[in-house]
Amino acid sequence: MELEIWVFILLFFVAFFSGFIDAIAGGGGLITIPALIAVGIPEHVALATNKLQATFGSFTAAANFTHKKMVDFNSLWRGIIWTFVGAVCGTWSVLLLDATVIKYLIPICLVAILIYTIFSPNLGEIDKEKRMSESLFYTIFGLSIGFYDGFIGPGTGSFWMFAFVSLLGMNLKSAVANTKILNFTSNIVSLAVFIGGGEILWILGIVMGFGQMIGAYFGSHMVIKKEIKFIKIIFLSVVSLTIIKLIYDLFMK
């Protein structure tokens, strides 16, 4: 596709904003995918190009959190392995399974997360006792959330953050940091599949990728510096917008 220069400039800044928000609470795809489609890019090409640029952002945020020693790879390596396996299975299953049932279930799950978080005012403010072993946690959620991200994707970061906080007892800052590592893992798997399909707009994806990197850098620094309540507000906002977007896609289109 031949795109005008203003499209590259516009989507660079869209990617910057997306990377900033995604580094804090996930949900960056809610910003970039509609923007890509709005400038006339076919949906399947938009999804592939979005995965390329999103990988830049998730890598930058993950690298920054790692540099600040907010990630403990002594335990997270299990999550990386199982998320990789789950994402491979999920991406492969796109070709075989009907996603309709899952698309109806996801908004329900996100509504439950939203309500639980709102009515748990101290959720994620401090580290708490684990409710399950790390080995079992990473096996179950690495496979399931990794599968979901490879299969559909919206809300992946929200599911990881909530799981870390509610089941492993992490505070929200640690949950965000660990989430970005696993987001990057599943992004790489999906990107590899899209590369094989040859549907990516490489130049646009790389331009947006630089926007993502800058936004993710500032967003991850915001997580490091700001109070937990700020992160929770962004998290709740992203979950709410994800619910609205998914419901709109299901019933209004």
Side-chain angles (χ1 to χ4, degrees), residues 102-154:
I102 295 179
K103 286 181 178 178
Y104 280 96
L105 287 175
I106 297 309
I108 297 173
C109 294
L110 287 172
V111 167
I113 289 175
L114 183 68
I115 293 172
Y116 185 88
T117 305
I118 289 174
F119 288 97
S120 302
N122 297 321
L123 185 69
E125 293 193 1
I126 59 172
D127 290 325
K128 294 186 178 180
E129 187 176 348
K130 295 179 178 66
R131 296 187 178 182
M132 63 190 308
S133 70
E134 290 180 346
S135 178
L136 181 61
F137 173 87
Y138 285 122
T139 302
I140 293 174
F141 290 97
L143 284 172
S144 58
I145 299 180
F147 180 93
Y148 171 73
D149 195 22
F151 192 61
I152 299 179

Side-chain angles (χ1 to χ4, degrees), residues 5-237:
I5 189 65
W6 68 265
V7 173
F8 287 91
I9 296 172
L10 172 65
L11 292 179
F12 172 86
F13 286 104
V14 168
F16 168 82
F17 181 65
S18 167
F20 180 82
I21 295 297
D22 198 71
I24 300 173
L30 295 174
I31 301 168
T32 50
I33 293 175
L36 285 161
I37 295 173
V39 298
I41 297 172
E43 186 169 320
H44 62 289
V45 179
L47 290 171
T49 305
N50 177 72
K51 190 58 69 173
L52 171 62
Q53 63 91 36
T55 302
F56 281 80
S58 59
F59 172 78
T60 301
N64 197 19
F65 288 131
T66 301
H67 176 68
K68 297 296 183 180
K69 303 187 185 305
M70 294 177 65
V71 180
D72 180 12
F73 285 99
N74 289 327
S75 59
L76 191 62
W77 65 269
R78 297 184 185 90
I80 294 172
I81 292 173
W82 288 117
T83 298
F84 184 91
V85 173
V88 169
C89 295
T91 305
W92 178 71
S93 298
V94 170
L95 304 174
L96 304 174
L97 302 177
D98 183 1
T100 303
V101 174
I102 295 179
K103 286 181 178 178
Y104 280 96
L105 287 175
I106 297 309
I108 297 173
C109 294
L110 287 172
V111 167
I113 289 175
L114 183 68
I115 293 172
Y116 185 88
T117 305
I118 289 174
F119 288 97
S120 302
N122 297 321
L123 185 69
E125 293 193 1
I126 59 172
D127 290 325
K128 294 186 178 180
E129 187 176 348
K130 295 179 178 66
R131 296 187 178 182
M132 63 190 308
S133 70
E134 290 180 346
S135 178
L136 181 61
F137 173 87
Y138 285 122
T139 302
I140 293 174
F141 290 97
L143 284 172
S144 58
I145 299 180
F147 180 93
Y148 171 73
D149 195 22
F151 192 61
I152 299 179
T156 298
S158 301
F159 287 125
W160 268 124
M161 287 172 63
F162 183 76
F164 277 126
V165 171
S166 59
L167 295 175
L168 283 193
M170 289 185 182
N171 65 71
L172 266 175
K173 287 191 177 187
S174 296
V176 173
N178 284 273
T179 291
K180 285 296 104 184
I181 302 294
L182 300 176
N183 273 162
F184 176 67
T185 301
S186 51
N187 278 345
I188 284 293
V189 172
S190 296
L191 178 59
V193 173
F194 282 125
I195 289 173
E199 300 285 359
I200 298 173
L201 297 177
W202 284 97
I203 297 176
L204 178 60
I206 291 171
V207 169
M208 293 181 70
F210 281 112
Q212 273 275 346
M213 290 176 70
I214 299 169
Y217 177 81
F218 285 108
S220 55
H221 271 284
M222 190 75 73
V223 171
I224 295 166
K225 294 179 179 179
K226 287 288 186 178
E227 298 293 329
I228 295 291
K229 289 182 179 179
F230 169 81
I231 301 171
K232 186 178 288 187
I233 290 170
I234 302 296
F235 173 73
L236 290 172
S237 299

